[in-house]
Amino acid sequence: MFSIGQLSQASGVKVPTIRYYEEIGLLACDGRSAGNQRRYTAAGRDRLRFIAHGRALGLSLDAIRALLDLSDRERAPCRQAHAIAESHLADIRDRIARLQRLEQELERITNACDHDGAPCRLLEALADHGQCASAH
Amino acid sequence: MFSIGQLSQASGVKVPTIRYYEEIGLLACDGRSAGNQRRYTAAGRDRLRFIAHGRALGLSLDAIRALLDLSDRERAPCRQAHAIAESHLADIRDRIARLQRLEQELERITNACDHDGAPCRLLEALADHGQCASAH
DNA sequence: CCTTGAACCTCTAGTCACTAGAGAGATTAA
DNA sequence: TTAATCTCTCTAGTGACTAGAGGTTCAAGG
């Protein structure tokens, strides 16, 4: 059995975060010590690692909860798991595309002023959405 | 003078959000009607547009506040404005790079299962950070 | 067995940038 | 005047934590 601190070490998830996951029903502990401290089994540790990895991959706790529910039911249902992962992948690609458009606009805006003594045009450029080449 | 609803129309910012900006000291109204409703001048509208555009570019409200403070002081100080914009640009580039690494890992993970009747390996792949090619 | 210090407990409140809703009052057009 | 729409303040909720107060339990050394 692991203490919450050991679980934290083993997963890289901070102690208050583990308690938070319990509070929202994502990760129950596997019992308590005589003095009311949380105790976990290896299964709990693995579940937390799954959660941590999902978070590192950018999944929401809701998506992770759905995946955990799937794997709790005997044979892992391939189709739904893929649907969740692929919808997240689509979301990431969308975010990348939007960030790249922002990058271009901000480059354009910071280049609007050439630093050579003329009044700075950066704030003007920031103010004026009409100057932007693409939507954002 | 504009009502809050007109300002909302002119800027694309929702009415409660405008009140929220006032609450945090980002945008004061330019007076009140006899019946205590907020009234704004064209300057207020422009300030809100600046905020809205900054938000659309992904700037935090704190960064926007700093830029507004700069432009409130007579001549726009070029150096500081650039510093803010460029630090944000660096942040965006960093986020793009991280999202691209995530994209690759998720692609690899979703390809771990080929759907052809064998047990699904997706959940396994998601569980095991050790399989990942790069950090995330 | 006793002490010490680290780890643990619960609870409340704060973060960011809003969003939702209740219940009351103001404005505007017909 | 009346009806419809807008606006007011206030409270509370979102996601995913983080911080802190004030108290209790555990494990190791003596």
Side-chain angles (χ1 to χ4, degrees), chain A residues 109 112-114 118-127 131, chain B residues 76 78 82:
Chain A
I109 287 169
C113 164
D114 48 12
C120 183
R121 306 190 148 277
L122 175 53
L123 288 164
E124 261 172 72
L126 261 176
Q131 291 178 21
Chain B
C78 188
H82 274 266

Side-chain angles (χ1 to χ4, degrees), chain A residues 60-79:
Chain A
S60 71
L61 290 180
D62 263 5
I64 291 168
R65 192 194 303 272
L67 289 167
L68 285 169
D69 287 353
L70 289 180
S71 71
D72 284 349
R73 287 197 288 263
E74 61 234 83
R75 308 203 114 278
C78 189
R79 205 178 304 263

Side-chain angles (χ1 to χ4, degrees), chain A residues 3 5 19 38:
Chain A
S3 72
R19 287 197 278 251
R38 290 169 181 83

Side-chain angles (χ1 to χ4, degrees), chain B residues 28-72:
Chain B
C29 61
D30 300 296
R32 295 274 183 152
S33 75
N36 198 33
Q37 299 192 353
R38 290 169 181 82
R39 291 294 177 259
Y40 299 87
T41 60
R45 181 200 56 199
D46 292 344
R47 190 178 173 93
L48 181 56
R49 281 183 175 158
F50 183 96
I51 297 169
H53 192 210
R55 288 296 298 140
L57 289 168
L59 290 162
S60 71
L61 291 181
D62 261 5
I64 291 168
R65 190 193 305 270
L67 289 167
L68 284 169
D69 286 352
L70 289 180
S71 72
D72 282 348

Side-chain angles (χ1 to χ4, degrees), chain A residues 40-108:
Chain A
Y40 299 88
T41 61
R45 181 200 56 200
D46 292 345
R47 189 177 173 96
L48 180 56
R49 279 184 176 156
F50 184 96
I51 297 170
H53 193 209
R55 288 296 297 139
L57 289 167
L59 290 161
S60 71
L61 290 180
D62 263 5
I64 291 168
R65 192 194 303 272
L67 289 167
L68 285 169
D69 287 353
L70 289 180
S71 71
D72 284 349
R73 287 197 288 263
E74 61 234 83
R75 308 203 114 278
C78 189
R79 205 178 304 263
Q80 290 110 300
H82 274 267
I84 292 171
E86 268 151 27
S87 129
H88 182 53
L89 193 47
D91 185 55
I92 284 177
R93 288 184 176 137
D94 192 60
R95 271 152 66 192
I96 289 173
R98 273 186 291 123
L99 282 171
Q100 283 173 338
R101 285 200 296 276
L102 283 191
E103 186 191 8
Q104 281 173 22
E105 286 308 335
L106 264 178
E107 266 171 5
R108 193 188 53 67

